[in-house]
């Protein structure tokens, strides 16, 4: 048996809807731009750029339903409501047609972003890690098995802040559907059970402040709610 100099931290995990068991998280991949209207609001031409990925640490994932402290180093914390894909079977160079057989289930996630740090990173050609991968930057709803809901390719995706709707789109608006996202991701890394993929956010992203209540919904998949707490 392997011995360690201190006790390893608990395995990061996500709740599963209707089950006591939890989904063990291995890695978190995120699609940079996957809805044309959001690409445009960020100043990019959605037709010219293939999708790209960034990552968050596995322990950036946290259960939804609670309070997430306003993170340090930012004055411009943004929400990004996203469909989350949970990989149950690993593989490399997965074809789009085979992608669904690798998906365990789905959830609703919020890709919290320190937008001011991201803007600075873009301007200076620096990595996005500090903008995207801070503590508790990836709240996720309880996952729902594909065995229960199938593989959604259409359905409303919405997010409201303090009961005001800020994002309202449809999964069908994704430039790269889930099958392509899984396939493309697997050409760069060998996907493994426990990997999560945040599939990009629709238009309407914006700033949130301590005390704000966020509610997201993906039709036929899951709801998510978080509250932003005082500064960490
Ligand atoms: Mn995002």
């Amino acid at each position: 048996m392997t011995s360690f100099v201190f006790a390893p931290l608990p395995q990061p995990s996500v709740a599963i809807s209707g089950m006591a068991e939890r989904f063990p998280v291995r890695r978190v991949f995120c699609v940079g731009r996957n809805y044309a209207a959001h690409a445009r609001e960020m100043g990019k031409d959605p037709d010219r750029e293939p999708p790209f990925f960034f990552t968050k640490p596995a322990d950036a994932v946290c259960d939804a339903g609670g309070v997430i402290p306003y993170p340090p180093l930012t004055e411009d914390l943004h929400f990004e409501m996203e469909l989350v894909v949970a990989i149950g079977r690993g593989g490399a160079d997965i074809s789009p047609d085979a992608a669904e057989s690798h998906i365990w289930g789905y959830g609703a996630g919020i890709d919290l972003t320190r937008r001011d740090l991201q803007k600075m990173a873009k301007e200076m050609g620096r990595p996005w890690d500090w903008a995207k991968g801070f503590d508790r930057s990836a709240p996720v709803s309880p996952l729902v098995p594909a065995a229960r809901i199938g593989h959604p390719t259409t359905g409303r995706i919405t997010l409201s802040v303090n009961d005001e709707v800020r994002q309202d789109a449809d999964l069908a608006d994704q430039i790269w559907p889930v099958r392509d996202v899984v396939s493309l991701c697997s050409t760069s890394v060998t996907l493994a059970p426990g990997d999560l993929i945040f599939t990009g956010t629709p238009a309407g992203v914006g700033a949130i402040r301590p005390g704000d209540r966020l509610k997201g919904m993906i039709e036929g998949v899951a709801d998510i709610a978080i509250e932003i707490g005082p500064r960490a």
Side-chain angles (χ1 to χ4, degrees):
M1 190 176 137
T2 307
S3 61
F4 298 100
V5 294
F6 55 84
L9 289 166
Q11 165 72 45
S13 64
V14 186
I16 299 171
S17 168
M19 291 175 69
E21 292 86 355
R22 293 177 63 85
F23 184 89
V25 175
R26 183 160 186 262
R27 294 170 295 185
V28 181
F29 302 104
C30 307
V31 179
R33 285 177 205 111
N34 204 17
Y35 292 81
H38 173 62
R40 282 188 212 102
E41 78 180 348
M42 299 304 284
K44 295 293 175 183
D45 180 344
D47 297 327
R48 284 201 195 143
E49 300 194 16
F52 63 92
F53 293 87
F54 60 90
T55 63
K56 296 186 187 236
D59 65 2
V61 171
C62 61
D63 284 325
V67 176
I68 295 181
Y70 194 98
L73 294 181
T74 185
E75 299 298 329
D76 198 22
L77 178 67
H78 274 213
F79 56 84
E80 296 189 355
M81 177 68 190
E82 310 202 3
L83 174 70
V84 177
V85 172
I87 297 295
R89 189 162 68 86
D93 296 322
I94 298 165
S95 73
D97 284 342
E100 287 182 354
S101 70
H102 293 262
I103 296 171
W104 184 89
Y106 296 88
I110 301 176
D111 167 16
L112 291 172
T113 301
R114 294 192 281 207
R115 193 72 75 200
D116 41 3
L117 295 194
Q118 186 191 32
K119 277 184 192 146
M120 191 189 305
K122 287 178 178 175
E123 286 165 13
M124 301 181 81
R126 288 178 178 170
W128 285 13
D129 303 49
W130 259 207
K132 291 289 197 176
F134 53 91
D135 295 343
R136 307 185 72 184
S137 57
V140 178
S141 73
L143 300 179
V144 187
R148 198 184 306 163
I149 60 163
H151 296 275
T153 55
T154 63
R156 271 181 90 192
I157 174 168
T158 66
L159 183 130
S160 66
V161 179
N162 302 328
D163 298 321
E164 182 187 329
V165 177
R166 304 285 294 274
Q167 294 186 284
D168 190 353
D170 196 286
L171 296 179
D173 300 335
Q174 291 191 334
I175 298 168
W176 300 89
V178 165
R179 63 202 303 274
D180 291 323
V181 167
V182 170
S183 176
L184 284 160
C185 193
S186 77
T187 64
S188 188
V189 295
T190 300
L191 287 174
D195 287 339
L196 298 180
I197 306 176
F198 280 61
T199 60
T201 196
V205 300
I208 39 180
R209 289 189 293 272
D212 283 346
R213 291 168 292 106
L214 282 62
K215 284 184 193 162
M217 182 278 301
I218 303 176
E219 190 181 354
V221 179
D223 296 340
I224 181 170
I226 60 168
E227 183 178 326
I228 304 299
R231 285 177 184 273

